[in-house]
Amino acid sequence: MSGGLLVAGTTSDAGKSVVTAGICRWLVRQGVKVAPFKGQNMSLNSFVTREGAEIGRAQAMQAQAARVEPTALMNPVLLKPGGDRSSQVVLKGRPIGEMSARGYHGDRQRELFEPVMACLEELRATHDAVICEGAGSPAEINLRRTDIVNMGVARAARLPVVVVGDIDRGGVFAQFFGTTALLAPEDQELVAGYLVNKFRGDVSLLQPGLDMLHRLTGRPVHGVLPYAHGLGIDEEDGLRVSLRGAVRESVVAPPVGRDLLRVAVCAVPLMSNFTDVDALAAEPGVVVRFVDRPEELADADLVVVPGTRGTVRALDWLRTRGLADALARRAAEGRPVLGVCGGFQVLGEHIDDEVESRAGAVPGLGLLPVQVRFAREKTLARPSGAALGEAVEGYEIHHGVAEVLGGEPFLDGCRVGAVWGTHWHGSLESDGFRRAFLGEVARQSGRRFVPAPDTCFGALREEQLDRLGDLVEEHADTGALLRLIEQGPPAGLPFVPPGAP
């Protein structure tokens, strides 16, 4: 078998990422060698592969679902927003420059189509199946001419397309019909059916609508996936995704010790890799929330200043919101603060940025003895080491180069009293280190909190991925999906008017 499938969506956040991961996990459990693929991804949540390439975290998660090592081939184009109208363009894992939205969606995007398709073909040559994820909606007709992620990829590779719709939002039947009807005839020929996502209730009550949709479009619904609480899976980019999936909906298990541990994460602008705190949220007795007001730091045992694509902008935001003063008071009182990547940089004494914000010399918060200079070359690395007597692994994605001038060494950053800073993302996924760090936070906070001795974040992630595979296996027409993957788009799919030119 050398097949493929494109999972499109009626909207952003319809569930394309998790459905793609679920299909990958279901297939690999059937003995299929499968890989994920997304031609173009816009996200501030990224990951560094073992060869030092930067890709979207959703594709790294899907690779884990497929039980394969993530590579740059799986996400050849990554767009990292730096504001409302510009993004850094990362091609095959390496940044190639900043571009405005208007500049990108012209000749530049068309130039990227060939390398995108070359990556897809390389994956297809080495795997039994490639499950591709679309972006946004394939019916974004203003962008169809330069599309390199939805129907442009499907048409070039002759991939069957299954469209996912989030019924929890309402209007899913109109979304399915309208998405199909706005596609050109040549694109409609590839749309083979639909998947309803996040359904609550009795499926029999939905059946009349499914039957009518089939009559109207000539295409079946290949499954109704139930709403699943607390999956905590890395998706695209919205803060609401992490809050909903990993923090607010997750059930906080009772603490092992007498006390809870409360973690406040500053919701800085252009927040990146906020998935760093997912491992904290997985710990019994640890409550994680995102905050944007200084009074919300008052009862926190640990405050995390996370990564950001706009360090200087985040620094200004912290000062404007009054959070900078609150952080300074915490540091003076010996109450724990952790800065990660951009969050580490803002805690330093001085920032010289002629690259990201072009703001030049800017004073930092002065909580750590660190000078930061932004380099044009991006650091992409997979470091490993030790801290608090425990082994630690992480990954680095940053332009800022930190010169540490004092304090105690901490993961290539430093620690002064209760303030910690590091460029390492993902360090808290190292179980022994996370337990030691939380134990230290509890001691500094005066909390009778005891880290659970047996929480394994990797095992929890595997359980979540298995849940996705179960959702597909139990609630989708897997026979129909397998036929699409093996045989391609079915012949004779009817045209749904009016269609696009």
Side-chain angles (χ1 to χ4, degrees), residues 319-379:
R319 288 186 166 122
T320 301
R321 306 284 297 190
L323 287 160
D325 291 338
L327 289 169
R329 287 193 296 271
R330 287 187 66 89
E333 294 165 0
R335 302 176 65 198
V337 175
L338 171 65
V340 180
C341 200
F344 166 42
Q345 295 166 9
V346 305
L347 298 180
E349 298 172 344
H350 178 84
I351 296 171
D352 187 3
D353 180 11
E354 297 292 350
V355 176
E356 191 175 77
S357 68
R358 298 181 176 85
V362 178
L365 298 185
L367 305 185
L368 290 174
V370 174
Q371 305 274 340
V372 177
R373 175 186 56 82
F374 273 69
R376 297 200 177 276
E377 187 71 21
K378 180 184 281 191
T379 296

Side-chain angles (χ1 to χ4, degrees), residues 19 21 29 87 105 126 148 185 244 335 349 487:
V19 169
R29 293 195 307 208
S87 293
H105 287 291
T126 54
I148 64 171
R244 186 181 63 245
R335 302 176 65 198
E349 298 172 344
Q487 301 173 16

